[in-house]
């Protein structure tokens, strides 16, 4: 005689408190992304999947979570998927359907992606890596919100330390008898030293439905928000070009976030006012043991209003 196994997860917990996010993280899947005029590319992606858990339920049925993930991601590998944010949105909606006791499901994805590049001085082909970020939240009775973006690396130079070096150079050149006009012209043409950092910029856009933005466009905005781009391959002329550009465009961590905001408003003017833009910049300091961080999360309406103020 067979006995049905007890559904322990469905029993009441000892402490009846609801939980906002319960699920699984670190789920790795191959995802095939189709392109209209080119060969598809395959991502090794890592997923996190969560739902809310009511206070009267002890636990989540993990097998149902994994079933929903497998169903959608296996379909993504075999069928054309043109937008990863749509894929995670579908996963979130299916997850919500499979759990009658939940009201919200969230799916997030990260994957490393190599983009073709060319070195700044020698114009040699090379590659750069970016992290593709996608997430979606499905909520009962509301449109599914989808988010897409990228995390990239770059280089920044501290304007404060550079300013002090410029003053030192100005005084030394004056001591050597160089006239003030020549000193000013020299300092305008030759940026002075400043301590540099490896910068990490994150830029994402979230809307109700299709954000209608290109991941690579967002990656370009994020890379250009820092003092200079960096490259995996760099001959000596390229190293010189990167160093010069970075020091000619010294930026604080705060400047990078503001540059992202300005570029997003210019490049993504089709986005609705209620689109939410997340901009983060973290710099690995070279002369300190701490790091620098700045961020802003705002709607497009808020950014448009602030940038248009006199």
């Amino acid at each position: 005689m067979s006995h049905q196994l007890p559904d322990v997860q469905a029993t009441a917990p000892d402490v009846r408190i609801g939980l906002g996010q319960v699920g699984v993280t670190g789920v790795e899947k191959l995802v095939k992304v189709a392109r209209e005029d080119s060969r598809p590319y395959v991502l090794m992606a890592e997923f996190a999947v969560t739902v809310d858990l009511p206070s009267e339920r002890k636990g989540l049925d993990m097998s149902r979570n994994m079933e929903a993930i497998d169903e959608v991601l296996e379909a993504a590998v075999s069928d054309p998927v043109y937008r990863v944010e749509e894929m995670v949105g579908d996963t979130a909606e299916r997850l919500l359907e499979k759990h009658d006791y939940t009201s919200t499901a969230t799916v997030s994805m990260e994957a490393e992606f190599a983009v073709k590049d060319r070195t700044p001085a020698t114009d040699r082909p090379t590659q750069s890596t970016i992290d593709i970020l996608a997430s979606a939240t499905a909520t009962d009775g509301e449109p599914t919100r989808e988010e897409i973006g990228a995390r990239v690396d770059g280089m920044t130079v501290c304007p404060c330390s550079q300013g002090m070096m410029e003053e030192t150079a100005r005084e030394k050149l004056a001591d050597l008898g160089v006239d003030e006009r020549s000193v000013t012209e020299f300092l305008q043409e030759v940026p002075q030293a400043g301590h540099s950092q490896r910068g990490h910029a994150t830029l994402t856009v979230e809307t109700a439905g299709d954000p209608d933005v290109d991941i690579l466009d967002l990656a370009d905005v994020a890379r250009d928000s820092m003092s200079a781009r960096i490259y995996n391959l760099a001959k000596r002329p390229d190293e010189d070009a990167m160093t010069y550009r970075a020091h000619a465009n010294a930026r604080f961590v705060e400047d990078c976030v503001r540059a992202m905001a300005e570029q997003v408003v210019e490049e993504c003017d089709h986005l609705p006012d209620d689109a939410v833009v997340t901009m983060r910049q973290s710099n690995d300091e070279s002369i300190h043991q701490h790091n620098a961080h700045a961020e802003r999360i705002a709607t497009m309406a808020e950014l448009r209003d602030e940038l248009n103020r006199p």
Side-chain angles (χ1 to χ4, degrees):
M1 181 177 179
S2 62
H3 296 278
Q4 186 175 3
L5 295 175
D7 187 358
V8 179
Q9 290 95 336
T11 62
D14 295 333
V15 180
R16 296 203 173 192
I17 296 292
L19 303 177
Q21 290 187 325
V22 180
V24 293
T25 62
V27 181
E28 294 186 339
K29 289 286 183 180
L30 286 176
V31 177
K32 183 186 295 183
V33 181
R35 293 180 288 177
E36 292 183 358
D37 301 320
S38 185
R39 296 174 58 187
Y41 57 83
V42 178
L43 302 174
M44 173 54 78
E46 183 173 304
F47 290 83
V49 178
T50 62
V51 299
D52 64 320
L53 192 68
S55 60
E56 66 271 13
R57 188 176 175 92
K58 186 176 183 67
L60 179 70
D61 190 335
M62 292 295 179
S63 63
R64 288 187 181 182
N65 274 28
M66 293 306 300
E67 181 182 6
I69 296 170
D70 283 337
E71 281 183 3
V72 179
L73 297 187
E74 289 302 322
V77 173
S78 58
D79 298 328
V81 170
Y82 290 94
R83 298 190 302 110
V84 290
E85 64 272 28
E86 181 180 42
M87 178 192 64
V88 295
D90 288 344
T91 308
E93 290 171 0
R94 292 194 189 190
L95 189 67
L96 195 61
E97 292 173 359
K98 287 181 174 293
H99 295 77
D100 54 9
Y101 51 83
T102 64
S103 60
T104 302
T106 301
V107 178
S108 62
M109 184 205 87
E110 290 192 19
E112 190 175 69
F113 181 61
V115 296
K116 292 183 178 180
D117 224 333
R118 301 198 74 87
T119 55
T122 59
D123 196 35
R124 293 170 179 250
T126 184
Q127 292 185 351
S128 297
T129 54
I130 66 173
D131 291 327
I132 294 176
L133 310 175
S135 66
T137 300
T139 305
D140 277 340
E142 297 181 15
T144 299
R145 295 193 65 86
E146 297 175 357
E147 183 179 32
I148 189 66
R151 182 170 55 239
V152 303
D153 295 333
M155 178 180 178
T156 62
V157 171
C158 176
C160 185
S161 66
Q162 187 181 58
M164 291 186 288
M165 290 300 293
E166 284 182 357
E167 187 59 31
T168 299
R170 186 180 296 277
E171 293 175 358
K172 183 61 178 177
L173 289 169
D175 290 343
L176 293 173
V178 182
D179 63 274
E180 185 175 346
R181 180 179 177 181
S182 297
V183 169
T184 300
E185 183 177 345
F186 172 79
L187 293 176
Q188 287 175 344
E189 294 296 325
V190 183
Q192 296 303 291
H195 74 85
S196 60
Q197 299 86 217
R198 171 77 65 85
H200 312 283
T202 301
L203 175 61
T204 66
V205 173
E206 176 194 309
T207 63
D210 180 8
D212 191 26
V213 291
D214 189 287
I215 298 172
L216 297 183
D217 289 342
L218 294 180
D220 282 338
V221 168
R223 292 181 75 189
D224 290 336
S225 69
M226 291 175 274
S227 295
R229 293 190 177 198
I230 58 176
Y231 302 82
N232 284 333
L233 171 67
K235 303 294 287 182
R236 292 177 67 183
D238 300 311
E239 293 178 354
D240 179 65
M242 282 187 280
T243 303
Y244 183 91
R245 288 183 185 181
H247 284 78
N249 189 34
R251 286 181 172 175
F252 290 121
V253 66
E254 301 92 336
D255 294 325
C256 298
V257 173
R258 291 178 172 129
M260 271 191 273
E262 184 177 42
Q263 290 182 71
V264 165
V265 171
E266 291 177 357
E267 301 294 331
C268 304
D269 58 352
H270 64 284
L271 287 173
D273 281 345
D274 64 352
V276 177
V277 183
T278 298
M279 300 155 287
R280 293 191 180 95
Q281 179 71 31
S282 296
N283 291 344
D284 299 335
E285 291 281 7
S286 59
I287 64 171
H288 305 294
Q289 289 187 316
H290 59 263
N291 295 323
H293 181 86
E295 69 176 73
R296 175 71 188 279
I297 301 175
T299 64
M300 283 294 289
E302 291 170 332
L303 295 179
R304 287 169 174 142
D305 179 61
E306 290 183 42
L307 287 169
N308 287 328
R309 290 177 190 171

